[in-house]
Amino acid sequence: MTLSVGVIGLGVMGAEHLRLLREETGGARVVAVCDADADRAQALAQGAQVFSDPMALIAAQGVGAVVIASPDATHAGLALACIAAGKPALCEKPLAATAAEALRIVDAEVAGGRRLLQIGYMRRFDPAYAEMLAVRQAGGIGAPVLLHNIHRNAAAPDWFTGPMAVTNSFVHEIDISRWLLGSELASAIVHAAPGGDPLMVTMETDKGEIVSTEVFMNAHYGYHVHAQMVGREGTVEMAAPAVTLANRARQHGHGFPANWVPRFADAYRIQMRAWVNAVATDQPVGASAWDGYVATAVAEQVVTALQTGAKAQLFLGSRPALYT
């Protein structure tokens, strides 16, 4: 059976999701698209029905599932509409602009008694992170004690504000650290370099593990994500994100991409295939709405710690049984 998908938002990520559905994902067909730019929607439609209203796309009878890749501020309303319509959705992060808003989405999904949302924390599908998790779960490095993360961008967009380094970038480390360690984050303290960039965020988990994360929005040389897990009996870390090494101009090594899309190309492809299969089998995978809420809630509290300089004791509330 082929899944009929509607895609909302056709910017950088929406266009990539559209391509993946059409070119690299079996069992799915794009039947509808929607974007605030009508010309862009028409140009990318390729026979799919074009909607100007995302709510109308969600309500359309011919649309069986939805990819939400519209601007961040629209995610919550569209996610709630998908839940109300009983339609599965792959929603780009963040789930919502605030923790309170994200919790309302969790409550709506719990009330329906079925997980319909998968949040686009694609690193869970990245082969390097997946292998690190497998090593940890197999006991290959003993009990974890430290997790070191690096998150560097070549340059921050003009529309980035100080807190967005946390709410738009560091949220990935919030989610992947929980996933890699199988722990919940309990406290956080933030140190900012002069000018506010880079940040060093140090968190402790409910098991006593320490998670250090450098968030550098203007590192200039390229997009660079790295992680190393330190256990009582060894370490595991990512190798260079390249399949070849070049010798040129008296240098040996590999290049760095300009942004996250090339680095996580495999993760996005695997994520899309996994989501389509999950919808077909009604076996949810990936980050849940609860995980989306946790990432937003922790980010909010880390922003407070950044602004006050104080150590934040993180509060999340009780995880509903739907997500256990």
Side-chain angles (χ1 to χ4, degrees), residues 193-251:
D197 185 44
L199 302 176
M200 175 58 71
V201 186
T202 305
M203 301 183 289
E204 298 174 39
T205 75
D206 57 352
K207 298 176 186 173
E209 299 135 337
I210 298 173
V211 180
S212 69
T213 304
E214 173 200 322
V215 185
F216 197 177
M217 298 308 301
N218 295 280
H220 297 295
Y221 67 88
Y223 181 81
H224 184 189
V225 162
H226 185 78
Q228 180 190 59
M229 189 185 302
V230 180
R232 293 291 182 187
E233 299 172 13
T235 71
V236 58
E237 66 185 289
M238 292 180 178
V243 294
T244 61
L245 294 172
N247 296 310
R248 180 178 180 273
R250 298 179 301 281
Q251 294 184 358

Side-chain angles (χ1 to χ4, degrees), residues 152-167:
R152 297 174 183 156
N153 287 62
D158 292 339
W159 44 268
F160 248 59
T161 62
M164 289 186 74
V166 174
T167 60

